[in-house]
Amino acid sequence: MDRRNFLKISGVGGVMMALSPSIIRGKLYADDGRLFTAYEKVQLVDANGKALKATALKEEINYVFNYPFVGTPAILLDLGVQTQRDIKLFSEEGEEYIWKGGVGEKKSLVAYSAICSHQLAHPTPADSFLQYLQRGKTTIACKQKGGLVVCSSHLSAFDPSKGCKKVAGPAEQPLASIILEVAEDDTLWVSAVLGPDKFHEYFKRYKTEMKKFYGGKRKAKKWVKEHAITVVLDEYTKEIIQY
């Protein structure tokens, strides 16, 4: 592994990296800048605009918000149990990065891009092929019973307790992680994306969808600012497809 490809990121209460202290906004060019990008720091709020509280989240429930762009869905989870720590992950090009683990009192809160790293399946207001499957529930994607984020479009499965590392299916890299923070007043904030994202391909492929749901690609590509409305998946989408 080329040392230049190593970027150490902390997902707990902020960010630390080996090569650049500047995280205010924009890309960090530790290598080519693809593995970590800082965006607007925004607060997660409910549908009424009220601040979402970390301790009020229900365990193993899919919450959806759009971040870092108006048209890119992300998923928020309280796994109910402490995640593993310092997970070494790789992009499909072999670039290495470290996912430090969940946040909150139990270190069980995580957030990820909800765009599958394989063929870009994602939740929309019409349907969702990608969501977290509760522990104990079965999927034809693999033998493991739940505790997974499953994309039922092509049956890739990811472990959210390990940085959404792929555990089954054709995906060749993890889901990108959303840097999540819990403030002293229990409010939730997001500020960056860690890992290889698929935003460019996503916007290129789903031009029609961007127009239908967001008024056009240009509007969908705007950065989310100040706050992101966060709702349970059942409220976000009309139909959930789970195999």
Side-chain angles (χ1 to χ4, degrees):
M1 174 63 63
D2 186 334
R3 293 287 297 175
R4 292 178 303 168
N5 288 346
F6 184 81
L7 179 64
K8 187 174 183 180
I9 303 293
S10 169
V12 182
V15 182
M16 64 179 182
M17 69 292 300
L19 300 179
S20 173
S22 176
I23 60 168
I24 301 302
R25 183 181 294 181
K27 291 181 179 297
L28 294 174
Y29 291 92
D31 181 24
D32 60 7
R34 291 189 305 153
L35 295 184
F36 179 87
T37 305
Y39 293 94
E40 290 280 346
K41 183 174 181 177
V42 304
Q43 185 175 21
L44 302 186
V45 301
D46 66 18
N48 296 314
K50 185 178 179 181
L52 208 62
K53 297 296 184 70
T55 53
L57 296 178
K58 296 179 180 178
E59 294 182 0
E60 295 198 280
I61 294 297
N62 287 277
Y63 293 88
V64 179
F65 61 101
N66 281 19
Y67 186 83
F69 303 102
V70 169
T72 51
I75 187 171
L76 169 68
L77 297 166
D78 181 352
L79 298 176
V81 295
Q82 183 173 333
T83 69
Q84 296 194 27
R85 315 294 295 176
D86 299 324
I87 302 298
K88 185 183 296 184
L89 300 170
F90 295 90
S91 71
E92 57 190 4
E93 287 84 15
E95 294 170 299
E96 177 184 323
Y97 62 101
I98 304 295
W99 183 78
K100 294 294 290 183
V103 299
E105 292 182 353
K106 294 192 293 185
K107 308 301 182 188
S108 61
L109 306 182
V110 296
Y112 296 99
S113 169
I115 300 171
C116 184
S117 59
H118 175 229
Q119 288 292 326
L120 314 181
H122 57 277
T124 76
D127 56 43
S128 178
F129 281 82
L130 186 145
Q131 52 270 327
Y132 173 78
L133 182 66
Q134 295 176 341
R135 290 188 293 275
K137 294 191 174 182
T138 60
T139 170
I140 62 175
C142 63
K143 293 181 179 179
Q144 180 174 328
K145 290 188 176 180
L148 299 168
V149 174
V150 177
C151 176
S152 292
S153 182
H154 297 93
L155 300 178
S156 290
F158 308 87
D159 189 341
S161 72
K162 299 179 181 177
C164 256
K165 184 177 184 178
K166 190 204 82 170
V167 296
E172 296 184 350
Q173 61 185 15
L175 300 183
S177 175
I178 305 297
I179 299 299
L180 177 68
E181 302 173 34
V182 181
E184 292 184 355
D185 61 357
D186 201 35
T187 56
L188 291 161
W189 299 77
V190 290
S191 57
V193 176
L194 169 66
D197 66 65
K198 291 285 185 177
F199 299 142
H200 177 74
E201 298 95 322
Y202 171 82
F203 283 120
K204 186 176 180 180
R205 180 176 300 182
Y206 294 106
K207 290 181 180 178
T208 302
E209 181 180 308
M210 296 303 112
K211 183 177 182 179
K212 179 179 180 180
F213 294 125
Y214 304 106
K217 182 178 175 181
R218 180 174 297 179
K219 292 182 179 179
K221 291 184 73 173
K222 288 185 176 180
W223 286 18
V224 175
K225 296 183 177 180
E226 297 184 2
H227 65 267
I229 295 174
T230 306
V231 298
V232 297
L233 182 60
D234 289 346
E235 296 176 3
Y236 181 84
T237 191
K238 292 180 179 178
E239 183 179 11
I240 297 174
I241 298 97
Q242 178 73 66
Y243 300 124

